[in-house]
Amino acid sequence: MECAAKGRGTRCIGPPTRRCGRCGAVAYCSVAHQLSHWVDHKEECARFEQQMGSADVLHDFPFTFSSEAMVEVHERQKTRCSFFMRQGLHQVGMWRYECHCGTSVAASDYPRMFYDWNLPSMQCPCREPITPISMCLTNWKDYYEWRCLPLHSPVALLLHWTFTVYHALQLAAIRNSTNDSSNKLYIHYLGPDTELLQLAVFGELRALFPGIQIHIDLVGPAVPQFRDGERINLCSYARCMEMDCPCKSSTENASFGVSNGTNSAVTLQLHKGFYHERYREIVEDSFPHLIVAPNAGIAAYASWLPTIEFIKEMNIPALFSDYCEEAANMAARCISSVTGHPLQIPIQLNPFRQPMAMEDSSMFLPCYSNCFIFGI
């Protein structure tokens, strides 16, 4: 958290402990900086006040760890590190990049993928579901009940990537539009970063779309050069920590396995670079049913503009997500400036957002990974 007036001439005199009395979204190091910043802040203060008023809705999750992971992290009372330490998951496997202690994905010298939840079998979806999916899941509570998971299980903290894809497919009404003769679904996934070392969580798509062969091309500049073109077959689920669990024998070679034909398989392929630069070679093998861009940050990166223009010409459903309502509104304006049209799928709260507040936001606006979703 930085003083909202940092860099406006005079040097900050200390930490930003003085919050705006109206919106509460920004903070200052002094009265002088607060007064000098008002000329800029007055245009956004009422909007931020409205967004801060939605904090309780954004913090609303069914989990037993909700208060610690949402409210206390959001208010800077606790950190992500402290939460994962108490869970025994700090700097472990797929959880390694969920706090600031982890290095960037691009700089990582760790294995290409982790395949374990590092949780007991009762707390993670390491095997086939007891009952096949028979309804559209609308929130985390639906999913946990279907998968017979206790509400103290933290797996939603990683599965938000998988379920943002699932929810995007529902919003775009694509699930039932695939060709029955091929039973294949092609997805182009733009801008992967942290999830590049959590790819095993996408194996849960097997349970969500039984009998469907799903191929996901992950395209973005954060893909390490040595992983460009890497292909991964997920024919089972991420494993639990119990050595005698059946998931160990069934997934021993799952990362590069072959589907048995009756169950679905998920195939991932990584591509380094921007989508508008790599698209033509990718579609030689997979023309997408859907484009999805989690935590896109469209307004923050000029490189999105040619990509949006390209997607507009493709006429393919594209869903984006962002961390907070303000970022989503800015993205919507950028998209409309390129397409000349309003969003076809309006900005809405993602019921499968990550149930842990972001702690590196420059403001006190409630921010969650994959928090708001919208599309063209």
Side-chain angles (χ1 to χ4, degrees):
M1 173 65 68
E2 294 181 343
C3 174
K6 183 179 179 180
R8 292 183 60 86
T10 59
R11 184 174 299 177
C12 288
I13 63 172
T17 57
R18 182 183 181 86
R19 290 169 69 169
C20 173
R22 179 180 178 184
C23 70
V26 296
Y28 303 92
C29 66
S30 65
V31 175
H33 269 197
Q34 183 173 5
L35 292 174
S36 68
H37 189 244
W38 178 246
V39 66
D40 295 324
H41 182 56
K42 65 182 179 181
E43 298 296 329
E44 62 191 14
C45 189
R47 188 170 71 250
F48 286 176
E49 182 182 18
Q50 178 270 321
Q51 293 175 21
M52 289 291 286
S54 302
D56 287 346
V57 176
L58 271 63
H59 295 332
D60 186 20
F61 291 95
F63 306 111
T64 58
F65 56 79
S66 294
S67 176
E68 180 181 6
M70 271 67 78
V71 179
E72 294 177 14
V73 172
H74 173 246
E75 292 293 333
R76 278 69 171 178
Q77 297 169 4
K78 291 187 178 177
T79 66
R80 282 179 164 240
C81 287
S82 64
F83 173 83
F84 287 114
M85 285 177 182
R86 274 186 286 277
Q87 296 281 331
L89 298 171
H90 186 244
Q91 290 293 283
V92 173
M94 292 193 293
W95 307 93
R96 186 180 298 273
Y97 293 89
E98 289 302 312
C99 67
H100 292 307
C101 297
T103 58
S104 69
V105 171
S108 172
D109 58 356
Y110 290 102
R112 284 189 168 112
M113 272 182 58
F114 297 100
Y115 300 102
D116 299 274
W117 284 110
N118 297 101
L119 292 167
S121 60
M122 68 168 291
Q123 290 191 38
C124 61
C126 62
R127 290 176 284 175
E128 294 288 345
I130 296 175
T131 58
I133 190 167
S134 61
M135 57 176 281
C136 177
L137 305 177
T138 60
N139 52 48
W140 284 123
K141 190 171 186 292
D142 285 350
Y143 171 69
Y144 271 55
E145 288 179 351
W146 169 56
R147 274 304 221 158
C148 303
L149 295 170
L151 291 176
H152 63 266
S153 166
V155 294
L157 295 171
L158 298 184
L159 282 171
H160 68 103
W161 303 116
T162 308
F163 274 87
T164 293
V165 173
Y166 172 81
H167 190 55
L169 286 164
Q170 307 302 323
L171 291 175
I174 288 175
R175 183 179 65 167
N176 296 319
S177 65
T178 55
N179 188 313
D180 290 337
S181 63
S182 65
N183 286 329
K184 293 182 179 180
L185 183 61
Y186 294 99
I187 300 168
H188 288 181
Y189 186 111
L190 312 189
D193 189 5
T194 304
E195 61 268 45
L196 288 170
L197 291 172
Q198 301 170 339
L199 295 175
V201 301
F202 288 99
E204 188 65 4
L205 290 170
R206 299 175 65 250
L208 295 168
F209 298 99
I212 302 294
Q213 305 293 310
I214 300 175
H215 179 82
I216 305 178
D217 285 289
L218 297 98
V219 191
V223 174
Q225 189 64 53
F226 73 91
R227 299 189 70 181
D228 187 20
E230 180 181 341
R231 188 180 180 92
I232 303 158
N233 294 330
L234 299 174
C235 297
S236 286
Y237 305 99
R239 301 169 296 199
C240 71
M241 65 190 301
E242 298 170 7
M243 296 307 298
D244 58 348
C245 180
C247 74
K248 290 296 189 296
S249 59
S250 65
T251 63
E252 190 171 4
N253 298 305
S255 59
F256 298 99
V258 178
S259 172
N260 62 19
T262 57
N263 292 325
S264 62
V266 178
T267 305
L268 312 175
Q269 187 152 12
L270 310 185
H271 309 269
K272 182 176 180 61
F274 295 113
Y275 187 61
H276 56 274
E277 297 173 344
R278 299 296 306 267
Y279 166 78
R280 297 194 186 282
E281 62 183 277
I282 295 171
V283 295
E284 290 179 3
D285 298 317
S286 67
F287 191 83
H289 296 94
L290 174 72
I291 297 168
V292 61
N295 295 331
I298 290 173
Y301 301 100
S303 57
W304 271 112
L305 296 179
T307 294
I308 297 297
E309 183 69 44
F310 203 75
I311 293 173
K312 170 190 171 184
E313 299 300 322
M314 291 170 61
N315 196 30
I316 297 294
L319 276 291
F320 309 88
S321 73
D322 224 316
Y323 291 99
C324 65
E325 188 176 358
E326 181 70 7
N329 286 327
M330 293 170 66
R333 290 193 291 271
C334 290
I335 291 172
S336 295
S337 71
V338 174
T339 64
H341 300 286
L343 297 173
Q344 290 187 320
I345 299 175
I347 296 169
Q348 55 198 276
L349 188 62
N350 179 8
F352 296 107
R353 62 198 178 278
Q354 186 184 41
M356 174 173 277
M358 303 301 296
E359 62 182 358
D360 54 358
S361 172
S362 61
M363 295 184 286
F364 282 94
L365 289 174
C367 293
Y368 293 87
S369 185
N370 292 315
C371 190
F372 287 88
I373 193 166
F374 48 95
I376 58 177

